[in-house]
């Protein structure tokens, strides 16, 4: 890859401003906000792919990570009304939605007894009943039942709401969640940090600063989390760079993020159905630019349940080194918004084959990227 990058830099056809960025990447230097913007505005797919693969190969070589996981979605009823969300039902229409009790969720978790899953991913809508006590009780019950199962649960959207109601600071709240058994936080709820765009698509829920502050408190406890970015709707390129810049700054401070997950806006069955979806080329450009920009993130993940298996395979040549997990058809968030995968479920062998077909080396990982098995 260093060879291809050097060749690219010496090409006389390369735009001089892009050449400067490529030289920085080759030298292992951080690119600036303006460089990021220029990559979005001018960078062609092949160019971006070469840069992103250079960065990725320095970090994880030829490896592609996945895990064995399943989701539990406690409710799809929500006090918020994000306009991109195809999944939630307003609290006043609650008869159209579901709301699980702790026992119902434990029944799902017990279905995986004896199976080699390592992680349960828990997230959904926000409702008053599922409060501080509800979730701390749930986490304790899961740990009593299966202590080694990694609990990756809830986002700052839920935590902000829960702690406000319980009159707890973020620091005390996150400490209590850790004590109850929370192991890590998924990356959702980040959407796009720019206040104007955020207000238009996700008005009323926690702000960018609140989202970042909750992750910071969690990282201060020595714990880890993920970060997402919802792209390809009404945001401009500068909003994507701004989003990544804020994440890069927090990561410099804490080193608490495991991975970055760009989430492509899907326009099925939501209030933004009139907004066209971006192309696969734009998806790949976006993966590549995030890999180049977020130099302090070890991993970039493509969520195959959302973009489909073929784009997930392609993304592995554009800076991505993780394709999430087996999922086992346990999430509805994307299928309800029109994603290719209507019943997302892959056996471990299918995931391994999907990765091997691209010439890469599949590694089953734990949530925290320890190697569970090499294939
Ligand atoms: O925050 C909702 C997104 C997120 C749509 O951390 C949509 O490992 C596109 O964060 N089009 C939740 N995106 C899912 C999430 C996630 C998924 C997989 C792995 C991890 C991880 C985290 O889903 C929400 C929102 O940004 N979302 N609706 C839609 N129509
Ligand atoms: Fe509620 Fe989350 Fe949907 Fe927003 S994205 S309406 S917070 S479930």
């Amino acid at each position: 890859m260093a060879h291809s990058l050097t060749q690219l830099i010496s090409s006389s056809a390369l735009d001089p401003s892009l050449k400067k960025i490529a030289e920085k990447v080759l030298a292992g230097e951080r690119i600036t906000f303006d460089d990021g913007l220029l990559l979005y505005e001018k960078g062609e797919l092949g160019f971006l792919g070469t840069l992103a693969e250079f960065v990725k190969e320095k970090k994880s070589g030829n490896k592609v990570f996945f895990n064995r996981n399943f989701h539990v979605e406690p409710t799809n009823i929500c006090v918020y009304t994000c306009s991109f969300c195809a999944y939630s039902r307003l609290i006043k229409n609650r008869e159209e939605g579901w709301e699980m009790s702790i026992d119902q969720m434990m029944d799902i978790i017990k279905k995986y007894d004896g199976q080699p899953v390592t992680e349960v991913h828990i997230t959904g809508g926000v409702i008053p009943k599922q409060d501080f006590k509800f979730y701390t009780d749930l986490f304790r019950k899961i740990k009593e039942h299966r202590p080694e199962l990694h609990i990756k649960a809830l986002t700052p959207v839920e935590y902000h709401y829960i702690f406000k109601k319980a009159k707890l600071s973020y620091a005390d709240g996150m400490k209590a969640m850790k004590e109850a058994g929370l192991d890590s936080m998924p990356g959702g709820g980040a959407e796009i940090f720019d206040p104007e765009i955020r207000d238009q698509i996700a008005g009323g829920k926690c702000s960018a600063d609140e989202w970042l502050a909750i992750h910071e408190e969690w990282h201060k406890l020595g714990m880890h989390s993920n970060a997402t970015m919802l792209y390809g709707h009404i945001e401009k390129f500068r909003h994507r760079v701004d989003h990544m810049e804020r994440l890069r700054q927090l990561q410099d401070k804490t080193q608490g993020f495991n991975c970055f997950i760009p989430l492509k806006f899907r326009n099925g069955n939501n209030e933004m159905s009139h907004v066209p979806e971006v192309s696969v080329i734009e998806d790949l450009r976006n993966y590549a630019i995030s890999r180049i920009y977020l130099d302090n993130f070890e991993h970039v993940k493509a969520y195959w349940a959302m973009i489909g298996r073929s784009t997930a395979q392609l993304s592995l040549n554009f800076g991505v080194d993780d394709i999430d997990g087996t999922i086992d058809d346990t999430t509805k968030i994307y299928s309800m918004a029109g994603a290719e995968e209507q019943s997302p479920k892959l056996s471990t062998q299918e995931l391994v084959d999907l990765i091997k077909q691209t010439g890469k080396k599949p590694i089953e990982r734990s949530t925290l990227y320890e190697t569970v098995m090499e294939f």
Side-chain angles (χ1 to χ4, degrees):
M1 264 302 151
H3 176 63
S4 342
L5 186 53
T6 320
Q7 258 184 342
L8 186 74
I9 291 172
S10 58
S11 152
S12 57
L14 187 61
D15 176 296
S17 53
L18 290 177
K19 185 173 173 170
K20 270 197 192 140
I21 300 177
E23 281 166 351
K24 279 190 192 173
V25 172
L26 182 64
E29 281 171 35
R30 176 167 278 191
I31 68 164
T32 64
F33 185 101
D34 289 343
D35 293 338
L37 199 53
L38 206 83
L39 290 180
Y40 273 119
E41 282 163 356
K42 285 195 182 172
E44 281 172 16
L45 187 60
F47 170 79
L48 294 172
T50 307
L51 263 61
E53 284 295 285
F54 174 79
V55 175
K56 181 187 85 182
E57 286 186 8
K58 276 208 301 188
K59 290 190 182 285
S60 49
N62 200 29
K63 293 178 183 168
V64 175
F65 299 92
F66 70 94
N67 73 349
R68 298 198 213 203
N69 66 347
F70 63 101
H71 289 229
V72 175
E73 299 181 344
T75 182
N76 71 337
I77 303 167
C78 194
V79 297
Y80 300 115
T81 52
C82 304
S83 42
F84 56 82
C85 182
Y87 162 86
S88 72
R89 295 293 171 268
L90 250 185
I91 206 143
K92 59 177 189 273
N93 300 330
R94 61 184 344 144
E95 64 284 356
E96 290 174 23
W98 71 83
E99 222 176 307
M100 282 189 212
S101 64
I102 290 184
D103 286 345
Q104 283 171 316
M105 287 192 266
M106 287 309 298
D107 287 344
I108 299 178
I109 283 157
K110 286 176 189 165
K111 266 190 6 209
Y112 290 90
D113 285 357
Q115 293 189 35
V117 290
T118 57
E119 172 194 284
V120 55
H121 179 151
I122 307 174
T123 192
V126 182
I127 51 172
K129 203 201 270 177
Q130 295 181 348
D131 59 3
F132 179 79
K133 181 169 180 333
F134 179 90
Y135 279 115
T136 45
D137 285 352
L138 173 69
F139 297 162
R140 286 205 170 88
K141 283 225 163 119
I142 298 173
K143 286 293 174 186
E144 268 165 32
H145 179 72
R146 192 167 173 178
E148 79 291 355
L149 185 67
H150 184 108
I151 305 179
K152 183 176 81 176
L154 313 189
T155 71
V157 177
E158 286 114 326
Y159 288 122
H160 171 78
Y161 181 88
I162 290 169
F163 298 159
K164 208 168 160 192
K165 271 189 68 192
K167 299 193 170 48
L168 279 171
S169 68
Y170 292 163
D172 290 343
M174 290 319 297
K175 196 162 159 264
M177 290 294 160
K178 182 180 173 189
E179 281 161 10
L182 179 70
D183 292 300
S184 72
M185 238 199 292
E191 321 315 356
I192 201 86
F193 289 148
D194 176 82
E196 271 177 37
I197 306 289
R198 191 176 184 81
D199 196 43
Q200 286 181 57
I201 65 166
K205 72 184 190 186
C206 74
S207 68
D209 286 344
E210 289 161 347
W211 190 97
L212 291 161
I214 289 177
H215 279 267
E216 185 168 355
E217 289 304 336
W218 182 240
H219 295 171
K220 275 192 210 157
L221 299 170
M223 306 303 276
H224 290 84
S225 61
N226 295 338
T228 58
M229 173 174 76
L230 181 71
Y231 71 94
H233 43 89
I234 57 166
E235 89 290 1
K236 301 273 185 276
F237 289 147
R238 67 171 189 283
H239 301 126
R240 295 192 206 170
V241 184
D242 168 69
H243 190 95
M244 292 193 286
E245 176 57 33
R246 296 187 203 215
L247 289 173
R248 195 166 76 172
Q249 284 181 15
L250 181 55
Q251 181 75 329
D252 274 345
K253 238 168 137 179
T254 65
Q255 279 90 50
F257 289 116
N258 285 326
C259 72
F260 178 63
I261 314 159
L263 294 173
K264 176 197 185 115
F265 163 67
R266 307 307 310 248
N267 69 3
N269 302 312
N270 56 40
E271 280 172 30
M272 290 169 73
S273 294
H274 58 284
V275 177
E277 292 180 0
V278 296
S279 67
V280 173
I281 294 184
E282 187 54 26
D283 294 330
L284 298 175
R285 275 174 22 94
N286 190 67
Y287 283 121
I289 296 171
S290 55
R291 178 58 290 170
I292 300 162
Y293 200 84
L294 294 171
D295 59 348
N296 53 4
F297 277 63
E298 284 311 298
H299 306 283
V300 174
K301 188 198 276 192
Y303 187 39
W304 68 264
M306 177 184 61
I307 52 168
R309 298 159 206 218
S310 320
T311 309
Q313 282 181 316
L314 274 174
S315 74
L316 301 179
N317 284 317
F318 292 88
V320 167
D321 70 345
D322 188 304
I323 53 171
D324 200 66
T326 44
I327 302 178
D328 202 24
D329 196 12
T330 45
T331 176
K332 295 275 166 278
I333 296 181
Y334 292 102
S335 51
M336 287 171 90
E340 279 79 4
E341 305 284 347
Q342 284 298 300
S343 300
K345 177 182 187 148
L346 279 177
S347 67
T348 303
Q349 193 53 47
E350 284 169 324
L351 255 183
V352 165
D353 290 345
L354 198 112
I355 297 166
K356 279 192 175 164
Q357 281 165 2
T358 67
K360 313 269 177 193
K361 189 170 173 47
I363 306 282
E364 183 191 340
R365 60 160 173 87
S366 68
T367 309
L368 304 178
Y369 288 87
E370 296 124 348
T371 300
V372 175
M373 204 186 289
E374 293 196 21
F375 290 84

